[in-house]
Amino acid sequence: MLLAGMLSMFALAGALVIFFLIYTRRLTQEQLRLKQAELTFERKLLSNTLATQETERKRFARDLHDDLGGSLLTIMLNVAQLEIRSDDPEYIQRQSAQAHEQLNQVLQHLRMVSYDLVPPTLEEFGLVATLEDLVARIQETELLSIRLDRNGTFPQLDYTSSIAAYRMVKELISNTLKHAKAKQLVIFLKAMPEAITITVSDDGCGFEFDEAHTGAGLQNLEARSRQIGAELEVKSLPGKGTKVTILLPIIYQNHA
Amino acid sequence: MPTYDEILNSIIVVSQALVCLPLMAVLLRWNQLKGYLRWAAAMVLFDSAMAVFMYYCLLNQVHNLPFLHLFTIVQFVFWWGIYRGQLQSPLARKIHLGSGVLFVAVAVFMSAFLQPLSENPTIARSLQSGFILFYGIAYCANLLQQLSMKQPEKNPIFWLNAGALMYFSGNLFLFIFSNYLLFEPHRVLRESWALHAAFLMVYYVLIAIGIWLSPKPSLSR
């Protein structure tokens, strides 16, 4: 009886030690697996961010080369013609009017490119005014019916959060225009004491969330929301439209 | 062909000699032993000295029970020191401190009044095993809560703790019921001590592994 008791106690202690060893090993393996998954995700995000940057640069270069470059070349040729036909006042007048018109177009295009890069209203008037401006611009194109509703008094956010939120909304609008075949898009802004919610919903074709989750578009949105500490919620079903909610914590602009 | 009793006797006698394993580890790793490993090293040196003394007593038929009273207290103090920096929870630390003082006081009281030096200090040994087991389990619980140890098998305290848990759990049972052993046949008594000796061998091996795994001094700042 005594010997059995001693052996049982010894075996119990041994079992405890072995359990502890196996448990901590499994736990370590699990932690390692999670860390690796996180690392893979971070790498993918970084790669997407770089790819997006590269695409933006290419688009910017194309805009400058094809549109602005082309227009400026035409103006340069016209000016060269003015030198050759300097004795024809009527021609000079017509050509200078045309050059003036072309320069006006170039200037407008330059403003569009510049606005596309960083909207000038953002720093001065804030996120809400910039989004209203963006909505007004899209309304002018009549590509789809777009509306912005707001509720509450919106504080002036810090620039990093504002630009990230602006780009996220722009990305969502761009996605709707490209893929959703939607007729209507509604942006709803709601101010709360600690956060702002931005809801972008459309009545388009929607998508299977799991399939699209690996796509670069949503990963970019996730990367941006992580960058500013926002929460992102995507709801979509095939044929039922898409609703994306961004919960943006309020970080007040530092005027110091 | 040795008889059953001879085998049991051999296990009992040889078990003490296994202290040379942790002793060698201490001597070879002496410069690397820091913090709680110094307590472990001191305990191994003390155990080695006691083992030599026990063999001397055995050979010269000297009564060694009075020294067992001292051994019980000193061994407890060493284990107390080993676990001192390992327990993080405030409650466990308070119990650790209180139990250290309490055990020494109770052990001295027992030796003075209840179990004189001529008797086996079974109560003190049971208490000692109980407290050390509590430290060991508290340490495991603490480690599971913190989840800070990545590879426990490479950490000396894991092996020291394993040795303590396995040896003192057997010891606890043996010493609690050892008074009843007096009324059992002589063979049961021998078998119990042989089993205790087997546990002691496991204990020394685990202590040796723990000390051998002491971290090497790092060259980086």
Side-chain angles (χ1 to χ4, degrees):
Chain A
M1 179 71 181
L2 178 70
L3 293 175
M6 282 174 73
L7 273 173
S8 306
M9 290 291 278
F10 181 79
L12 203 66
L16 181 70
V17 171
I18 291 165
F19 160 78
F20 186 75
L21 195 64
I22 293 170
Y23 181 79
T24 46
R25 279 197 148 208
R26 280 195 182 166
L27 208 68
T28 310
Q29 279 171 355
E30 188 63 21
Q31 280 173 343
L32 200 69
R33 198 184 60 77
L34 278 173
K35 212 171 179 178
Q36 274 172 347
E38 207 169 296
L39 202 68
T40 311
F41 181 70
E42 293 287 339
R43 274 188 193 150
K44 216 170 176 181
L45 277 184
L46 183 68
S47 144
N48 280 338
T49 309
L50 291 175
T52 309
Q53 273 182 1
E54 206 52 44
T55 311
E56 281 287 299
R57 279 180 189 156
K58 277 181 189 163
R59 191 179 60 78
F60 184 56
R62 201 172 50 238
D63 278 358
L64 287 178
H65 180 266
D66 295 356
D67 296 335
L68 291 177
S71 301
L72 288 171
L73 189 69
T74 313
I75 294 166
M76 199 176 77
L77 289 171
N78 286 343
V79 170
Q81 282 294 314
L82 286 177
E83 280 175 15
I84 298 164
R85 296 174 66 175
S86 56
D87 53 343
D88 186 351
E90 199 184 326
Y91 179 78
I92 291 170
Q93 198 178 5
R94 201 172 59 244
Q95 283 299 89
S96 67
Q98 203 179 340
H100 189 263
E101 176 67 23
Q102 281 170 337
L103 279 171
N104 226 352
Q105 280 176 7
V106 168
L107 200 63
Q108 270 187 2
H109 199 92
L110 196 66
R111 278 189 188 132
M112 272 173 64
V113 171
S114 158
Y115 186 94
D116 219 29
L117 283 174
V118 180
T121 46
L122 195 64
E123 201 158 16
E124 202 173 342
F125 301 107
L127 177 66
V128 180
T130 311
L131 288 177
E132 280 173 339
D133 193 31
L134 178 70
V135 167
R137 279 166 182 263
I138 296 166
Q139 274 170 345
E140 280 171 20
T141 64
E142 295 180 353
L143 286 169
L144 86 166
S145 162
I146 184 165
R147 197 174 83 232
L148 187 141
D149 296 332
R150 48 189 284 188
N151 183 5
T153 311
F154 292 86
Q156 183 84 339
L157 297 170
D158 71 301
Y159 184 74
T160 313
S161 301
S162 299
I163 190 80
Y166 171 77
R167 293 209 191 286
M168 286 166 86
V169 172
K170 214 174 149 208
E171 171 90 28
L172 288 166
I173 295 171
S174 168
N175 285 347
T176 302
L177 288 171
K178 276 187 207 162
H179 311 294
K181 297 169 194 157
K183 288 178 182 162
Q184 194 178 41
L185 186 141
V186 179
I187 301 170
F188 179 61
L189 305 177
K190 188 180 177 187
M192 294 183 292
E194 301 292 326
I196 289 173
T197 57
I198 304 170
T199 310
V200 180
S201 47
D202 67 46
D203 59 352
C205 59
F207 58 89
E208 196 69 59
F209 182 67
D210 285 342
E211 284 172 21
H213 193 239
T214 49
L218 276 178
Q219 283 186 353
N220 283 340
L221 287 175
E222 278 181 11
R224 284 199 200 280
S225 59
R226 271 186 170 209
Q227 185 195 347
I228 53 172
E231 286 175 32
L232 184 75
E233 188 188 59
V234 182
K235 284 181 182 170
S236 187
L237 276 175
K240 300 276 180 186
T242 303
K243 185 177 174 183
V244 177
T245 306
I246 304 159
L247 184 75
L248 189 68
I250 295 175
I251 302 165
Y252 292 97
Q253 199 153 28
N254 188 6
H255 293 288
Chain B
M1 186 75 181
T3 63
Y4 181 62
D5 271 352
E6 280 171 348
I7 292 171
L8 293 182
N9 275 339
S10 303
I11 292 171
I12 293 168
V13 172
V14 168
S15 67
Q16 285 288 344
L18 241 72
V19 76
C20 62
L21 285 177
L23 180 65
M24 276 168 65
V26 165
L27 296 176
L28 290 169
R29 298 281 190 204
W30 182 255
N31 291 332
Q32 293 169 215
L33 303 176
K34 303 273 183 287
Y36 69 89
L37 286 170
R38 283 273 167 95
W39 284 91
M43 182 179 73
V44 170
L45 292 175
F46 177 74
D47 280 6
S48 307
M50 284 303 284
V52 172
F53 182 71
M54 293 297 174
Y55 280 124
Y56 170 81
C57 292
L58 191 73
L59 291 171
N60 296 286
Q61 300 291 308
V62 177
H63 195 45
N64 65 8
L65 278 177
F67 297 99
L68 200 56
H69 288 255
L70 175 74
F71 176 79
T72 306
I73 295 173
V74 177
Q75 192 188 39
F76 173 82
V77 170
F78 284 133
W79 275 109
W80 184 89
I82 289 170
Y83 282 110
R84 198 172 63 155
Q86 308 298 327
L87 306 175
Q88 302 297 324
S89 123
L91 180 67
R93 287 176 86 126
K94 277 180 190 167
I95 294 175
H96 177 255
L97 184 69
S99 61
V101 177
L102 181 74
F103 173 77
V104 174
V106 170
V108 171
F109 177 81
M110 290 288 171
S111 300
F113 302 106
L114 284 178
Q115 285 186 318
L117 298 178
S118 55
E119 284 183 28
N120 195 345
T122 52
I123 300 173
R125 291 284 272 171
S126 304
L127 261 180
Q128 180 210 39
S129 301
F131 280 133
I132 293 172
L133 279 177
F134 167 78
Y135 300 155
I137 292 167
Y139 168 72
C140 282
N142 176 59
L143 217 58
L144 285 177
Q145 270 181 342
Q146 287 198 331
L147 304 175
S148 55
M149 199 184 279
K150 299 278 181 212
Q151 288 174 300
E153 73 278 10
K154 289 189 178 170
N155 199 316
I157 188 67
F158 172 78
W159 295 102
L160 297 181
N161 190 50
L165 282 175
M166 294 173 85
Y167 173 64
F168 289 106
S169 57
N171 252 8
L172 180 71
F173 211 84
L174 173 67
F175 287 111
I176 285 176
F177 295 99
S178 59
N179 285 337
Y180 297 102
L181 277 176
L182 300 172
F183 307 106
E184 294 288 332
H186 182 69
R187 170 166 284 189
V188 176
L189 189 71
R190 301 300 296 167
E191 283 171 345
S192 303
W193 285 111
L195 196 56
H196 170 262
F199 294 168
L200 189 67
M201 287 196 261
V202 174
Y203 170 77
Y204 281 143
V205 169
L206 292 173
I207 299 290
I209 294 172
I211 289 169
W212 187 255
L213 289 174
S214 56
K216 287 176 185 165
S218 172
L219 289 174
S220 60
R221 279 163 187 254

